[in-house]
Amino acid sequence: MHAAASELSITDAVNETCPWSGKPIAADSLTLYNGAVVGFCNPECRDKFAKAILAFEAGLQARRVTNAGLDQ
């Protein structure tokens, strides 16, 4: 989910505060999401975001399978 911190720049982040805590973002806590750099206040918040995205994606995929009738 997240690229190496050395590949991402805090100046490219689409946000200034962490979406989980509301604290300022940190250069060591960036990730790439849908082509945009998103910042978090610490690596734990970044990793929490990655886990949430994986859970949402798994739920969406399960729904697609069910809706397509492939879960039988």
Side-chain angles (χ1 to χ4, degrees):
M1 162 73 65
H2 55 269
S6 62
E7 298 173 20
L8 302 176
S9 172
I10 197 168
T11 58
D12 294 329
V14 296
N15 59 314
E16 294 180 3
T17 58
C18 177
W20 295 114
S21 71
K23 296 177 183 176
I25 62 172
D28 69 344
S29 304
L30 305 172
T31 192
L32 194 60
Y33 178 67
N34 284 341
V37 176
V38 180
F40 298 87
C41 65
N42 60 52
E44 290 82 19
C45 282
R46 179 199 59 211
D47 296 346
K48 182 172 144 180
F49 176 76
K51 288 178 185 176
I53 293 303
L54 289 175
F56 290 130
E57 290 296 326
L60 289 171
Q61 183 60 28
R63 178 177 280 193
R64 288 182 200 110
V65 167
T66 298
N67 289 344
L70 301 174
D71 60 343
Q72 302 173 2

